[in-house]
Amino acid sequence: MDKPESKPAKVWNEIFDKPDYIFGTEPNDYLVEKKESLHPGQKVLMVADGEGRNSVWAAALGLDVDAFDLSEKAVAKAEKLASEKGVSVNYSVSSVDEWHWEEENYDVVVVIFVQFATPNMRTRLFANCIRTLKKGGLLILQGYTPKQLEYKTGGPSIPEHLYTEEMLRDYFASLEIIELKTYDAFIREGARHTGMSGLIGMFARKNG
C-alpha cells in the first residue's frame, strides 16, 4: 500500500514474486470448518486474498467470489491457480483502503490473516467489512494472537497487529458473534505459515 502505515505494494510484490505458492494452495482450515454455512450462489468477498488459495476453494463450491490483493504478483498467481482448477473468480489489484466497499453487497466476507494493518487501518478495514455485508450476511475471520510471538511460525512480529478476543468483540460489537475462539494448532499453509500457531477464529452475522 502506498500509505506509510503499511508495507508498500513493491514489498508485497517482492514477497510473492516466487514460483512456489508461499502460503500453499490449500484453503485455510478455519474457513473450511465453515463450509456448511456456504452455499452456491452466495456473493463472497475475499479480503487481501493473496495467491488465491481461499478464493479458488470458495469458487469451487459454486460461490460468486470477488477477491482483491495489493500485490499484482499475488493476483497473477491467484488467476493462474483459478485457471488450473477450472473455476472463475473476479480478481482485482487493490489495497484495503482503495477497494470499493459497496454497502450491503455481500452475503459473506472472509478475512484470513490480514494482519499487516496498523490499528488505524484495521479500524477502517473492519468497519468496511461490516458495511459491505448484507443483512443476515456472515463474516469469517482468522488471525494470530499475541501467543504467536512465542511460536514465531508466521505472521507479524509487531504486537499491535495481533488479535485478541476483547479486541474483536469491540470492533464487531454490532454483529451477532456466533463463535469466537482462541486456540493453538499446528497449521501447514506453505513456507510462510507452518508450525504450531497461536490462533483466533471468529464467525459472526450481521442482523437487522
Side-chain angles (χ1 to χ4, degrees):
M1 178 173 294
D2 57 356
K3 295 181 180 293
E5 58 187 348
S6 184
K7 292 180 181 178
K10 179 181 177 183
V11 174
W12 287 111
N13 278 327
E14 289 172 355
I15 290 171
F16 285 115
D17 191 14
K18 296 173 177 61
D20 295 335
Y21 283 74
I22 63 173
F23 296 109
T25 58
E26 295 301 313
N28 172 262
D29 289 343
Y30 188 74
L31 175 60
V32 174
E33 283 182 21
K34 307 309 171 194
K35 181 178 179 180
E36 291 185 3
S37 297
L38 304 175
H39 309 292
Q42 284 178 318
K43 191 170 184 181
V44 180
L45 176 64
M46 297 283 181
V47 176
D49 184 57
E51 302 161 304
R53 62 195 181 98
N54 295 316
S55 56
V56 166
W57 174 82
L61 297 179
L63 282 71
D64 178 7
V65 184
D66 288 344
F68 71 87
D69 197 272
L70 175 65
S71 167
E72 295 177 5
K73 297 290 186 181
V75 171
K77 291 168 81 173
E79 290 173 336
K80 180 174 181 288
L81 182 62
S83 177
E84 290 173 351
K85 298 292 185 179
V87 299
S88 177
V89 178
N90 305 310
Y91 286 114
S92 299
V93 177
S94 177
S95 71
V96 296
D97 281 324
E98 292 167 341
W99 178 253
H100 177 58
W101 296 95
E102 188 174 344
E103 190 168 354
E104 296 186 7
N105 192 41
Y106 292 99
D107 299 296
V108 184
V109 172
V110 178
V111 186
I112 304 294
F113 291 125
V114 183
Q115 294 188 269
F116 55 82
T118 62
N120 285 338
M121 188 189 301
R122 184 172 62 222
T123 297
R124 298 192 299 271
L125 168 61
F126 286 171
N128 280 324
C129 287
I130 294 169
R131 189 166 67 87
T132 203
L133 271 175
K134 296 177 183 178
K135 289 180 176 134
L138 301 172
L139 179 73
I140 302 171
L141 179 147
Q142 167 99 101
Y144 286 120
T145 68
K147 184 80 174 288
Q148 184 63 11
L149 296 175
E150 300 173 24
Y151 288 125
K152 300 178 181 178
T153 52
S157 58
I158 303 170
E160 290 77 11
H161 288 207
L162 301 167
Y163 302 160
T164 65
E165 290 189 20
E166 182 181 14
M167 171 196 294
L168 295 182
R169 286 190 187 280
D170 184 47
Y171 276 119
F172 296 103
S174 66
L175 301 184
E176 174 196 355
I177 297 178
I178 301 166
E179 177 183 73
L180 180 57
K181 64 177 183 177
T182 299
Y183 61 104
D184 292 356
F186 192 99
I187 63 173
R188 296 177 180 84
E189 297 185 343
R192 304 275 298 204
H193 281 187
T194 294
M196 202 65 185
S197 305
L199 304 171
I200 192 166
M202 191 185 77
F203 185 46
R205 179 185 292 112
K206 182 178 182 179
N207 293 322

